[in-house]
Amino acid sequence: MRQLAGIVLFGLGATALLRWYQHEVVNETEATVHLQSEHEHFHIHVDLPTGMEIQPGDTLQILTMPKINGQTKGEISYTSPARLYKASWLRRNLVKQSSLIEISELVDHP
């Protein structure tokens, strides 16, 4: 009986940690998107309103694409609705720690 209680408590704890890790807060806003397309590279920059900041573990979703006929040359800018999924404290810190480990491995690799 005691082992069963331990297993149940472990399962409840694991479930609570998983739900905490997966918790997200969603913010919707208008953002200015800058697409820079050249022969050798493609970049996207997004200007978010003041107070909205992307941090480790967050996800930004751009909801519309520009109306373009053919190829783009240089940079184009357009306004799009955007959705920012803010990661939980647990996910944010795990992403920070894992990225520091990956950078250390990359730097230490001969």
Side-chain angles (χ1 to χ4, degrees), residues 36-93:
Q36 191 175 38
S37 173
E38 294 181 12
H39 179 67
E40 295 179 2
H41 61 87
F42 180 79
H43 296 284
I44 184 169
H45 300 275
V46 180
D47 293 331
L48 293 172
T50 305
M52 288 189 86
E53 181 180 334
I54 299 176
Q55 297 176 334
D58 293 348
T59 303
L60 180 66
Q61 185 178 28
I62 306 299
L63 301 176
T64 61
M65 294 294 293
K67 309 272 189 269
I68 301 172
N69 293 329
Q71 293 182 327
T72 63
K73 293 189 190 231
E75 182 177 318
I76 61 168
S77 299
Y78 69 99
T79 303
S80 170
R83 205 173 280 143
L84 179 61
Y85 296 89
K86 299 295 286 179
S88 66
W89 179 89
L90 179 61
R91 180 183 287 182
R92 183 175 323 288
N93 283 295

